[in-house]
Amino acid sequence: MAPLPALITRENFKSFLESFDTVLTDCDGVLWHEDRLIGQAHVTLNTLQALGKKVFFVTNNSTKSRDDYVEKCGRLGFKATKEDILSSAYVLAQYLKQQGFQKKVYVMGMGGIVKELQAEGIQSTGGEPEVYDGGSLSTLMDKMKLDPDVGAVACGFDPYLSYLKVMRAASYLERPGCLFLATNTDERFPVASKGLVYPGTGCVVRCVETVAERPATVMGKPSTKMFSVIQEKNSLDPKRTLMIGDRCNTDILFGKNCGLQTLVVLSGVTTQADLEKWAASDDPEQHALLADYCLTQLDDLLAFLDPKQEQC
Amino acid sequence: MTHQSSSHKRRHLPVATKRTSKTSPGVLWHEDRLIGQAHVTLNTLQALGKKVFFVTNNSTKSRDDYVEKCGRLGFKATKEDILSSAYVLAQYLKQQGFQKKVYVMGMGGIVKELQAEGIQSTGGEPEVYDGGSLSTLMDKMKLDPDVGAVACGFDPYLSYLKVMRAASYLERPGCLFLATNTDERFPVASKGLVYPGTGCVVRCVETVAERPATVMGKPSTKMFSVIQEKNSLDPKRTLMIGDRCNTDILFGKNCGLQTLVVLSGVTTQADLEKWAASDDPEQHALLADYCLTQLDDLLAFLDPKQEQC
């Protein structure tokens, strides 16, 4: 058994607020669902920023570039510059740059990865549909042209997932020294429609890992790489940094791996029933998923925050 | 490479009339091409009184399709001699008294074997994402209310929308999750190219569904159970022949059979040496009793005109 995350209330709010200087917040399921704000999430973050807290947006979602996220944040009422945004696609490009990677990347994913690679001067191929429309697979294989310059495969969220793309990715991965990177392995996106499941990047990555018979190096949460990238330009004190997220096996685990404080919101993937199940179990792996604090949704803080409050 | 000596082999070849052997693709054929004189080899064993069953994880064809293919390539096989993972899947549902519909993420082989047991299915066809808002597509996605099971097999029409559909059905309480097999790759001739197997489809859906599939094919022993419903084979006098050790050979061992690995498919001599040299019992479990470079090596020792012995 382990303690449940502490609900933030009027009683503990002041000490909670004074315990951190920086906020790292996940986006999908915390701030927005697709293009819809979750309550007054923007007012909440803007108020924290007005109080002197620094806010970073950390997302495993690789479909957009950081420029795209700046645009989205602005449109939804958040205050963010490019430097405040850490996306898994950006971290992937930084990783390759640090490796001194000089070859081409085969992208099994969307524009976000392609753009972030371009921004670092790294060439890529793929990032587009490749559909099987019947006929002999071995004939298709005889005709399949592989780019000789590819030295890495990058998997991200890919609604154009197809058997032929998996074949292509796995074939590149047979090359000695070919890098195998993934933006993240989230199993699902939070979704509003009852009875429907919205597959996440995890299914693309596990699909390719199965054929390649080796694991991908994962850039996104819960890996600590995003925090390392932040720390290249900042000197955050982990103990005075708060990670806010909706998914415990990525966001909260990331926070703990980096030594941060953690807050789970129940407006996305995680439910109260999940928290109670993990707390009641005897499994240390389930205990590791329990955040320090919880809220039903982020803007519950507004009840305790005074938007006009002086910086403290 | 090291072969067992010919006299050693003769001591271990099955010699009694009731022995049986089982083989699978990568052993007999690559796609539509015979591997050497595989047909002559099996025909000779049959003439010697050995019973032969064809056991395959490949779910793309029905048993009728396999009878046709065997005949075309020169093998002697009736429908009852063929155990395909699609057939075993249909039998499994029949035994469960399954009355609902199956969503098939796979090919005609599964659909036909289900039909043969009077089990209705949906799916088994392309569903392609061509851009646009995924949430709009989700709002429009119609799920069949009668689906009570998802069956995954080899699917070159694998697509994100089909994964979404399968995982959505699997959210229903009591929805069964079956897979024909989890082979990672098919053996392939082209250098540098990899031919993804059913495993990638299954692991893809398992990841989203957050639960494992019940697997029908090798190395599960279900195929042998299905054979034993109509036969009384003595496992110790039954030989399993295969090219993939984590399915064929493991299957043979799980059923208590003798095992023979041929190196004409997925497994290489280097694999065998690596597993033998390791200290890992899981790798040791992959080592068959016997090996051959390819099946028709046996012809050097078999006399096709030999009397039944």
Side-chain angles (χ1 to χ4, degrees):
Chain A
M1 296 226 9
L4 279 168
L7 182 66
I8 297 174
T9 63
R10 200 164 292 282
E11 282 66 47
N12 60 17
F13 177 72
K14 185 162 187 291
S15 64
F16 163 74
L17 187 65
E18 288 169 356
S19 71
F20 60 91
D21 306 313
T22 309
V23 172
L24 270 51
T25 181
D26 176 46
C27 303
D28 298 305
V30 178
L31 307 179
W32 55 66
H33 280 307
E34 302 235 326
D35 270 348
R36 296 185 312 279
L37 270 171
I38 295 177
Q40 302 279 297
H42 55 316
V43 176
T44 315
L45 284 191
N46 295 344
T47 307
L48 288 173
Q49 285 168 321
L51 288 171
K53 312 297 183 197
K54 173 73 185 151
V55 176
F56 289 96
F57 298 75
V58 292
T59 178
N60 274 357
N61 190 322
S62 61
T63 61
K64 295 178 168 32
S65 67
R66 290 182 306 154
D67 283 329
D68 296 329
Y69 275 113
V70 170
E71 187 276 329
K72 180 168 181 171
C73 282
R75 184 161 35 86
L76 293 178
F78 297 93
K79 296 184 170 58
T81 67
K82 208 163 156 176
E83 285 63 43
D84 303 331
I85 298 181
L86 281 304
S87 72
S88 56
Y90 172 66
V91 175
L92 191 146
Q94 292 301 303
Y95 179 89
L96 285 173
K97 178 175 140 188
Q98 280 157 12
Q99 301 271 317
F101 184 77
Q102 298 286 343
K103 297 185 179 181
K104 220 183 251 188
V105 181
Y106 173 64
V107 174
M108 228 171 117
M110 310 279 286
I113 302 178
V114 175
K115 289 184 208 173
E116 293 295 353
L117 289 171
Q118 259 171 0
E120 296 300 337
I122 299 171
Q123 286 191 296
S124 66
T125 170
E128 55 184 13
E130 193 171 359
V131 181
Y132 171 70
D133 49 14
S136 158
L137 275 167
S138 43
T139 307
L140 274 165
M141 288 176 77
D142 288 339
K143 292 197 282 185
M144 185 174 272
K145 287 192 182 13
L146 296 188
D147 188 320
D149 297 330
V150 166
V153 170
C155 290
F157 180 68
D158 195 2
Y160 292 107
L161 171 68
S162 74
Y163 181 83
L164 290 180
K165 293 176 77 168
V166 175
M167 179 184 280
R168 194 177 280 281
S171 301
Y172 282 130
L173 289 168
E174 281 299 276
R175 294 181 175 172
C178 185
L179 299 179
F180 186 10
L181 308 185
T183 53
N184 61 303
T185 53
D186 300 36
E187 296 87 358
R188 309 180 174 191
F189 282 101
V191 74
S193 315
K194 279 276 168 191
L196 276 175
V197 172
Y198 196 150
T201 308
C203 72
V204 178
V205 179
R206 299 296 177 222
C207 184
V208 177
E209 282 183 336
T210 299
V211 191
E213 293 176 350
R214 57 164 160 140
T217 304
V218 184
M219 301 290 116
K221 302 167 279 179
S223 152
T224 58
K225 288 177 175 59
M226 268 184 201
F227 193 62
S228 304
V229 171
I230 291 175
Q231 292 293 62
E232 280 164 20
K233 299 185 182 160
N234 297 271
S235 309
L236 305 184
D237 176 358
K239 289 198 275 300
R240 291 194 59 81
T241 303
L242 177 71
M243 173 67 199
I244 306 175
D246 70 302
R247 180 189 292 279
C248 297
N249 66 347
T250 52
D251 303 323
I252 303 307
L253 216 44
F254 164 78
K256 292 189 171 196
N257 289 342
C258 302
L260 317 181
Q261 299 192 59
T262 52
L263 160 61
V264 61
V265 293
L266 304 181
S267 48
V269 169
T270 302
T271 64
Q272 179 67 21
D274 291 327
L275 298 178
E276 285 169 5
K277 182 182 104 176
W278 298 331
S281 90
D282 289 324
D283 182 355
E285 282 192 24
Q286 293 189 41
H287 295 168
L289 302 172
L290 293 163
D292 300 313
Y293 299 100
C294 79
L295 286 170
T296 305
Q297 62 187 50
L298 187 62
D299 65 1
D300 288 353
L301 288 178
L302 287 176
F304 318 120
L305 279 165
D306 180 352
K308 299 202 189 76
Q309 190 165 345
E310 303 272 321
Q311 184 164 330
C312 62
Chain B
M1 67 152 279
T2 354
H3 278 288
Q4 293 170 306
S5 71
S6 59
S7 59
H8 191 211
K9 262 196 223 132
R10 285 206 76 102
R11 244 194 337 270
H12 285 81
L13 267 178
V15 292
T17 56
K18 292 236 180 335
R19 288 224 196 190
T20 63
S21 65
K22 304 140 171 282
T23 58
S24 59
V27 178
L28 306 180
W29 55 66
H30 281 308
E31 302 233 326
D32 269 350
R33 296 186 312 280
L34 271 170
I35 296 176
Q37 302 278 296
H39 56 317
V40 175
T41 315
L42 281 192
N43 295 345
T44 307
L45 287 174
Q46 283 167 323
L48 287 172
K50 314 300 182 193
K51 173 73 186 148
V52 176
F53 290 95
F54 298 76
V55 293
T56 178
N57 274 356
N58 190 321
S59 61
T60 62
K61 295 177 167 32
S62 66
R63 290 182 306 155
D64 283 331
D65 296 329
Y66 274 114
V67 169
E68 186 277 330
K69 179 168 182 171
C70 283
R72 186 163 31 86
L73 292 179
F75 297 94
K76 296 183 170 54
T78 67
K79 208 161 155 176
E80 284 62 43
D81 304 331
I82 298 179
L83 282 304
S84 72
S85 57
Y87 172 66
V88 175
L89 190 147
Q91 291 301 303
Y92 179 90
L93 284 173
K94 177 174 138 186
Q95 281 157 13
Q96 300 273 313
F98 185 78
Q99 298 286 345
K100 297 184 178 182
K101 220 183 251 187
V102 180
Y103 173 63
V104 174
M105 228 172 117
M107 310 279 285
I110 302 178
V111 175
K112 289 185 207 174
E113 293 294 353
L114 289 171
Q115 259 171 4
E117 296 300 337
I119 298 171
Q120 287 192 295
S121 64
T122 170
E125 55 183 14
E127 194 172 358
V128 182
Y129 170 71
D130 50 13
S133 157
L134 275 168
S135 44
T136 307
L137 273 166
M138 288 177 76
D139 287 340
K140 291 197 282 185
M141 185 174 273
K142 286 189 181 17
L143 296 188
D144 187 320
D146 297 330
V147 166
V150 170
C152 291
F154 180 68
D155 195 1
Y157 292 107
L158 171 68
S159 74
Y160 180 83
L161 290 180
K162 292 176 76 168
V163 175
M164 177 184 281
R165 193 176 282 280
S168 301
Y169 283 130
L170 288 168
E171 281 298 275
R172 293 180 177 174
C175 185
L176 299 179
F177 186 11
L178 308 185
T180 54
N181 62 303
T182 53
D183 300 35
E184 295 88 358
R185 309 179 173 194
F186 283 101
V188 73
S190 313
K191 280 275 164 190
L193 276 175
V194 173
Y195 197 149
T198 309
C200 71
V201 178
V202 178
R203 300 296 177 222
C204 185
V205 178
E206 283 183 334
T207 298
V208 192
E210 293 176 350
R211 58 166 160 140
T214 304
V215 184
M216 301 290 115
K218 303 166 279 179
S220 152
T221 58
K222 288 178 176 55
M223 268 184 202
F224 192 62
S225 305
V226 172
I227 291 175
Q228 292 295 60
E229 282 165 17
K230 299 185 182 157
N231 296 271
S232 309
L233 306 185
D234 177 356
K236 289 198 273 303
R237 291 191 60 78
T238 303
L239 176 71
M240 174 65 198
I241 307 174
D243 71 300
R244 181 189 293 278
C245 297
N246 67 346
T247 52
D248 304 323
I249 303 308
L250 217 44
F251 164 78
K253 291 187 170 196
N254 288 342
C255 302
L257 316 180
Q258 298 192 58
T259 52
L260 160 61
V261 61
V262 294
L263 304 181
S264 48
V266 170
T267 302
T268 64
Q269 179 66 20
D271 290 327
L272 299 178
E273 286 168 6
K274 182 182 105 176
W275 298 329
S278 89
D279 290 324
D280 182 356
E282 280 191 26
Q283 293 189 41
H284 294 170
L286 303 171
L287 293 163
D289 300 314
Y290 299 100
C291 78
L292 286 170
T293 305
Q294 61 187 51
L295 187 62
D296 65 0
D297 289 354
L298 288 179
L299 287 177
F301 317 120
L302 281 166
D303 180 352
K305 299 202 187 75
Q306 189 164 350
E307 304 271 322
Q308 181 163 331
C309 61

PDB file of all heavy atoms in Angstrom, chain B residues 219-237:
ATOM      1  N   PRO B 219       4.247 -21.196 -30.815  1.00  0.00           N
ATOM      2  CA  PRO B 219       4.548 -22.384 -30.020  1.00  0.00           C
ATOM      3  C   PRO B 219       3.429 -22.869 -29.085  1.00  0.00           C
ATOM      4  O   PRO B 219       3.637 -23.825 -28.348  1.00  0.00           O
ATOM      5  CB  PRO B 219       5.738 -21.929 -29.176  1.00  0.00           C
ATOM      6  CG  PRO B 219       5.492 -20.483 -28.948  1.00  0.00           C
ATOM      7  CD  PRO B 219       4.847 -19.986 -30.218  1.00  0.00           C
ATOM      8  N   SER B 220       2.250 -22.228 -29.099  1.00  0.00           N
ATOM      9  CA  SER B 220       1.144 -22.764 -28.306  1.00  0.00           C
ATOM     10  C   SER B 220       0.857 -24.200 -28.739  1.00  0.00           C
ATOM     11  O   SER B 220       1.028 -24.544 -29.915  1.00  0.00           O
ATOM     12  CB  SER B 220      -0.097 -21.900 -28.513  1.00  0.00           C
ATOM     13  OG  SER B 220      -1.272 -22.639 -28.337  1.00  0.00           O
ATOM     14  N   THR B 221       0.379 -25.024 -27.841  1.00  0.00           N
ATOM     15  CA  THR B 221       0.147 -26.439 -28.162  1.00  0.00           C
ATOM     16  C   THR B 221      -1.234 -26.699 -28.769  1.00  0.00           C
ATOM     17  O   THR B 221      -1.607 -27.843 -29.011  1.00  0.00           O
ATOM     18  CB  THR B 221       0.265 -27.312 -26.888  1.00  0.00           C
ATOM     19  OG1 THR B 221      -0.697 -26.810 -25.931  1.00  0.00           O
ATOM     20  CG2 THR B 221       1.648 -27.222 -26.284  1.00  0.00           C
ATOM     21  N   LYS B 222      -1.981 -25.606 -29.018  1.00  0.00           N
ATOM     22  CA  LYS B 222      -3.363 -25.785 -29.501  1.00  0.00           C
ATOM     23  C   LYS B 222      -3.463 -26.615 -30.772  1.00  0.00           C
ATOM     24  O   LYS B 222      -4.382 -27.423 -30.931  1.00  0.00           O
ATOM     25  CB  LYS B 222      -4.032 -24.425 -29.705  1.00  0.00           C
ATOM     26  CG  LYS B 222      -4.375 -23.721 -28.400  1.00  0.00           C
ATOM     27  CD  LYS B 222      -4.993 -22.360 -28.658  1.00  0.00           C
ATOM     28  CE  LYS B 222      -5.442 -21.684 -27.369  1.00  0.00           C
ATOM     29  NZ  LYS B 222      -4.363 -21.554 -26.370  1.00  0.00           N
ATOM     30  N   MET B 223      -2.527 -26.416 -31.711  1.00  0.00           N
ATOM     31  CA  MET B 223      -2.594 -27.181 -32.959  1.00  0.00           C
ATOM     32  C   MET B 223      -2.495 -28.671 -32.690  1.00  0.00           C
ATOM     33  O   MET B 223      -3.164 -29.467 -33.353  1.00  0.00           O
ATOM     34  CB  MET B 223      -1.453 -26.772 -33.893  1.00  0.00           C
ATOM     35  CG  MET B 223      -1.831 -25.684 -34.845  1.00  0.00           C
ATOM     36  SD  MET B 223      -0.501 -25.316 -35.991  1.00  0.00           S
ATOM     37  CE  MET B 223      -1.000 -23.669 -36.456  1.00  0.00           C
ATOM     38  N   PHE B 224      -1.665 -29.055 -31.734  1.00  0.00           N
ATOM     39  CA  PHE B 224      -1.510 -30.471 -31.427  1.00  0.00           C
ATOM     40  C   PHE B 224      -2.786 -30.999 -30.755  1.00  0.00           C
ATOM     41  O   PHE B 224      -3.233 -32.117 -31.029  1.00  0.00           O
ATOM     42  CB  PHE B 224      -0.283 -30.699 -30.538  1.00  0.00           C
ATOM     43  CG  PHE B 224       0.122 -32.137 -30.404  1.00  0.00           C
ATOM     44  CD1 PHE B 224       0.519 -32.863 -31.522  1.00  0.00           C
ATOM     45  CD2 PHE B 224       0.099 -32.787 -29.169  1.00  0.00           C
ATOM     46  CE1 PHE B 224       0.897 -34.199 -31.412  1.00  0.00           C
ATOM     47  CE2 PHE B 224       0.473 -34.124 -29.054  1.00  0.00           C
ATOM     48  CZ  PHE B 224       0.874 -34.833 -30.179  1.00  0.00           C
ATOM     49  N   SER B 225      -3.393 -30.188 -29.903  1.00  0.00           N
ATOM     50  CA  SER B 225      -4.664 -30.593 -29.276  1.00  0.00           C
ATOM     51  C   SER B 225      -5.724 -30.853 -30.332  1.00  0.00           C
ATOM     52  O   SER B 225      -6.491 -31.811 -30.244  1.00  0.00           O
ATOM     53  CB  SER B 225      -5.172 -29.511 -28.325  1.00  0.00           C
ATOM     54  OG  SER B 225      -4.192 -29.195 -27.380  1.00  0.00           O
ATOM     55  N   VAL B 226      -5.750 -29.995 -31.349  1.00  0.00           N
ATOM     56  CA  VAL B 226      -6.741 -30.166 -32.421  1.00  0.00           C
ATOM     57  C   VAL B 226      -6.465 -31.472 -33.180  1.00  0.00           C
ATOM     58  O   VAL B 226      -7.389 -32.229 -33.489  1.00  0.00           O
ATOM     59  CB  VAL B 226      -6.738 -28.953 -33.378  1.00  0.00           C
ATOM     60  CG1 VAL B 226      -7.608 -29.220 -34.593  1.00  0.00           C
ATOM     61  CG2 VAL B 226      -7.240 -27.705 -32.656  1.00  0.00           C
ATOM     62  N   ILE B 227      -5.200 -31.766 -33.451  1.00  0.00           N
ATOM     63  CA  ILE B 227      -4.847 -33.034 -34.114  1.00  0.00           C
ATOM     64  C   ILE B 227      -5.284 -34.213 -33.245  1.00  0.00           C
ATOM     65  O   ILE B 227      -5.845 -35.200 -33.744  1.00  0.00           O
ATOM     66  CB  ILE B 227      -3.323 -33.128 -34.360  1.00  0.00           C
ATOM     67  CG1 ILE B 227      -2.890 -32.112 -35.417  1.00  0.00           C
ATOM     68  CG2 ILE B 227      -2.932 -34.538 -34.805  1.00  0.00           C
ATOM     69  CD1 ILE B 227      -1.387 -32.071 -35.630  1.00  0.00           C
ATOM     70  N   GLN B 228      -5.041 -34.135 -31.965  1.00  0.00           N
ATOM     71  CA  GLN B 228      -5.333 -35.255 -31.061  1.00  0.00           C
ATOM     72  C   GLN B 228      -6.821 -35.498 -30.849  1.00  0.00           C
ATOM     73  O   GLN B 228      -7.215 -36.533 -30.330  1.00  0.00           O
ATOM     74  CB  GLN B 228      -4.647 -35.049 -29.707  1.00  0.00           C
ATOM     75  CG  GLN B 228      -3.124 -35.133 -29.722  1.00  0.00           C
ATOM     76  CD  GLN B 228      -2.592 -36.508 -30.089  1.00  0.00           C
ATOM     77  OE1 GLN B 228      -2.863 -37.022 -31.180  1.00  0.00           O
ATOM     78  NE2 GLN B 228      -1.839 -37.119 -29.196  1.00  0.00           N
ATOM     79  N   GLU B 229      -7.669 -34.546 -31.270  1.00  0.00           N
ATOM     80  CA  GLU B 229      -9.111 -34.800 -31.177  1.00  0.00           C
ATOM     81  C   GLU B 229      -9.514 -35.943 -32.093  1.00  0.00           C
ATOM     82  O   GLU B 229     -10.492 -36.640 -31.849  1.00  0.00           O
ATOM     83  CB  GLU B 229      -9.895 -33.539 -31.541  1.00  0.00           C
ATOM     84  CG  GLU B 229      -9.950 -32.513 -30.431  1.00  0.00           C
ATOM     85  CD  GLU B 229     -10.405 -31.155 -30.924  1.00  0.00           C
ATOM     86  OE1 GLU B 229     -10.975 -31.087 -32.042  1.00  0.00           O
ATOM     87  OE2 GLU B 229     -10.144 -30.157 -30.220  1.00  0.00           O
ATOM     88  N   LYS B 230      -8.752 -36.128 -33.188  1.00  0.00           N
ATOM     89  CA  LYS B 230      -9.120 -37.173 -34.145  1.00  0.00           C
ATOM     90  C   LYS B 230      -8.031 -38.225 -34.324  1.00  0.00           C
ATOM     91  O   LYS B 230      -8.158 -39.115 -35.167  1.00  0.00           O
ATOM     92  CB  LYS B 230      -9.431 -36.545 -35.511  1.00  0.00           C
ATOM     93  CG  LYS B 230     -10.594 -35.574 -35.435  1.00  0.00           C
ATOM     94  CD  LYS B 230     -10.974 -35.055 -36.807  1.00  0.00           C
ATOM     95  CE  LYS B 230     -12.111 -34.047 -36.642  1.00  0.00           C
ATOM     96  NZ  LYS B 230     -12.190 -33.119 -37.751  1.00  0.00           N
ATOM     97  N   ASN B 231      -6.949 -38.113 -33.581  1.00  0.00           N
ATOM     98  CA  ASN B 231      -5.851 -39.058 -33.719  1.00  0.00           C
ATOM     99  C   ASN B 231      -5.364 -39.434 -32.319  1.00  0.00           C
ATOM    100  O   ASN B 231      -5.693 -38.770 -31.335  1.00  0.00           O
ATOM    101  CB  ASN B 231      -4.684 -38.410 -34.475  1.00  0.00           C
ATOM    102  CG  ASN B 231      -5.049 -38.055 -35.902  1.00  0.00           C
ATOM    103  OD1 ASN B 231      -4.893 -38.857 -36.803  1.00  0.00           O
ATOM    104  ND2 ASN B 231      -5.533 -36.845 -36.102  1.00  0.00           N
ATOM    105  N   SER B 232      -4.574 -40.493 -32.231  1.00  0.00           N
ATOM    106  CA  SER B 232      -3.972 -40.824 -30.933  1.00  0.00           C
ATOM    107  C   SER B 232      -2.479 -40.946 -31.135  1.00  0.00           C
ATOM    108  O   SER B 232      -1.917 -42.052 -31.044  1.00  0.00           O
ATOM    109  CB  SER B 232      -4.527 -42.150 -30.402  1.00  0.00           C
ATOM    110  OG  SER B 232      -5.925 -42.138 -30.430  1.00  0.00           O
ATOM    111  N   LEU B 233      -1.873 -39.825 -31.458  1.00  0.00           N
ATOM    112  CA  LEU B 233      -0.443 -39.854 -31.725  1.00  0.00           C
ATOM    113  C   LEU B 233       0.334 -40.019 -30.430  1.00  0.00           C
ATOM    114  O   LEU B 233      -0.037 -39.470 -29.393  1.00  0.00           O
ATOM    115  CB  LEU B 233       0.007 -38.552 -32.400  1.00  0.00           C
ATOM    116  CG  LEU B 233      -0.723 -38.131 -33.674  1.00  0.00           C
ATOM    117  CD1 LEU B 233      -0.063 -36.898 -34.262  1.00  0.00           C
ATOM    118  CD2 LEU B 233      -0.757 -39.267 -34.679  1.00  0.00           C
ATOM    119  N   ASP B 234       1.414 -40.786 -30.497  1.00  0.00           N
ATOM    120  CA  ASP B 234       2.339 -40.879 -29.372  1.00  0.00           C
ATOM    121  C   ASP B 234       3.356 -39.763 -29.562  1.00  0.00           C
ATOM    122  O   ASP B 234       4.156 -39.798 -30.514  1.00  0.00           O
ATOM    123  CB  ASP B 234       3.031 -42.252 -29.389  1.00  0.00           C
ATOM    124  CG  ASP B 234       4.076 -42.387 -28.279  1.00  0.00           C
ATOM    125  OD1 ASP B 234       4.326 -41.397 -27.551  1.00  0.00           O
ATOM    126  OD2 ASP B 234       4.657 -43.478 -28.165  1.00  0.00           O
ATOM    127  N   PRO B 235       3.350 -38.744 -28.691  1.00  0.00           N
ATOM    128  CA  PRO B 235       4.262 -37.621 -28.884  1.00  0.00           C
ATOM    129  C   PRO B 235       5.723 -38.059 -29.050  1.00  0.00           C
ATOM    130  O   PRO B 235       6.451 -37.479 -29.851  1.00  0.00           O
ATOM    131  CB  PRO B 235       4.089 -36.793 -27.609  1.00  0.00           C
ATOM    132  CG  PRO B 235       2.726 -37.143 -27.110  1.00  0.00           C
ATOM    133  CD  PRO B 235       2.482 -38.562 -27.497  1.00  0.00           C
ATOM    134  N   LYS B 236       6.126 -39.085 -28.312  1.00  0.00           N
ATOM    135  CA  LYS B 236       7.537 -39.483 -28.362  1.00  0.00           C
ATOM    136  C   LYS B 236       7.903 -40.081 -29.715  1.00  0.00           C
ATOM    137  O   LYS B 236       9.078 -40.133 -30.074  1.00  0.00           O
ATOM    138  CB  LYS B 236       7.855 -40.486 -27.239  1.00  0.00           C
ATOM    139  CG  LYS B 236       7.846 -39.848 -25.848  1.00  0.00           C
ATOM    140  CD  LYS B 236       8.565 -40.707 -24.805  1.00  0.00           C
ATOM    141  CE  LYS B 236       7.674 -41.746 -24.154  1.00  0.00           C
ATOM    142  NZ  LYS B 236       6.469 -41.141 -23.502  1.00  0.00           N
ATOM    143  N   ARG B 237       6.887 -40.553 -30.462  1.00  0.00           N
ATOM    144  CA  ARG B 237       7.142 -41.123 -31.768  1.00  0.00           C
ATOM    145  C   ARG B 237       6.621 -40.195 -32.862  1.00  0.00           C
ATOM    146  O   ARG B 237       6.214 -40.644 -33.938  1.00  0.00           O
ATOM    147  CB  ARG B 237       6.516 -42.514 -31.866  1.00  0.00           C
ATOM    148  CG  ARG B 237       7.229 -43.537 -30.982  1.00  0.00           C
ATOM    149  CD  ARG B 237       6.798 -44.960 -31.281  1.00  0.00           C
ATOM    150  NE  ARG B 237       7.072 -45.361 -32.671  1.00  0.00           N
ATOM    151  CZ  ARG B 237       8.241 -45.715 -33.155  1.00  0.00           C
ATOM    152  NH1 ARG B 237       9.303 -45.742 -32.358  1.00  0.00           N
ATOM    153  NH2 ARG B 237       8.371 -46.056 -34.435  1.00  0.00           N
TER     154      ARG B 237
END
